[in-house]
Amino acid sequence: FFFQAEDGIRDVAVTGVQTCALPISAGYGFLMSASGLGALISALRIAGQKRSRPMLIGAGALILGSMEILLGVSRVYPLSLAAMLVVGFGSVSMTATANATVQLHVPDQLRGRVMSIYMTIFVGSTPVGSLIVGAIASRLGTDVAMGFGGAMSVLAGASAVVAVRRL
């Protein structure tokens, strides 16, 4: 998580890049590309399903969270690259399945209203979470912030799996 800057050592949220010969920007680009590839694989997998599977919401959150925790402790670039691929997969598995599940289970006449509330909550919660994780990162470091975010995703995923099993 560290690279040498002109005014000292800076803490950045790029895991494993400093252990390879890549410049920070190239290493970060490859990490984001791996996440995008995982997201594409997940989207194609979900698009090929005949019906929505709500269990994927919790499973996706569990996958996302566990890989975020791994990213928080990883100092090996290839491991971070693989974890980012799985982060993208888990993230899209969770969000696309949640979106499809809500749309498929709401009556036609209410779908627009329900989706507007759903998206307001979904998108509106991002700044709150960013503020919390940003405060943790500035006080304790990005590795702790990644671990915290991952732990919250695992907790939410486990709760979702339990809730879906009860249905």
Side-chain angles (χ1 to χ4, degrees):
F1 280 43
F2 298 100
F3 73 96
Q4 190 67 36
E6 291 177 16
D7 59 346
I9 295 180
R10 294 279 184 200
D11 197 9
V12 297
V14 179
T15 58
V17 174
Q18 73 280 2
T19 62
C20 67
L22 294 172
I24 294 292
S25 61
Y28 184 71
F30 284 125
L31 287 169
M32 293 297 99
S33 295
S35 177
L37 179 61
L40 177 65
I41 292 167
S42 177
L44 293 173
R45 182 177 175 273
I46 290 170
Q49 293 177 349
K50 298 208 183 295
R51 61 184 174 88
S52 176
R53 296 185 179 160
M55 187 61 77
L56 283 179
I57 299 169
L62 287 169
I63 291 167
L64 171 66
S66 61
M67 290 299 108
E68 282 181 342
I69 292 169
L70 179 62
L71 280 168
V73 298
S74 174
R75 300 293 182 268
V76 179
Y77 186 73
L79 178 62
S80 298
L81 202 60
M84 284 299 288
L85 182 114
V86 181
V87 161
F89 183 89
S91 176
V92 169
S93 293
M94 176 186 62
T95 57
T97 305
N99 191 359
T101 301
V102 170
Q103 289 189 49
L104 291 171
H105 289 87
V106 171
D108 292 343
Q109 66 272 20
L110 298 176
R111 188 169 296 125
R113 290 178 220 159
V114 170
M115 287 307 295
S116 68
I117 293 169
Y118 169 78
M119 290 308 295
T120 300
I121 293 168
F122 188 79
V123 175
S125 65
T126 301
V128 175
S130 296
L131 182 64
I132 294 167
V133 172
I136 292 170
S138 68
R139 294 238 196 272
L140 303 173
T142 54
D143 52 349
V144 175
M146 287 290 288
F148 174 78
M152 294 298 101
S153 292
V154 166
L155 182 63
S159 298
V161 167
V162 168
V164 169
R165 283 191 177 168
R166 288 183 181 167
L167 295 177

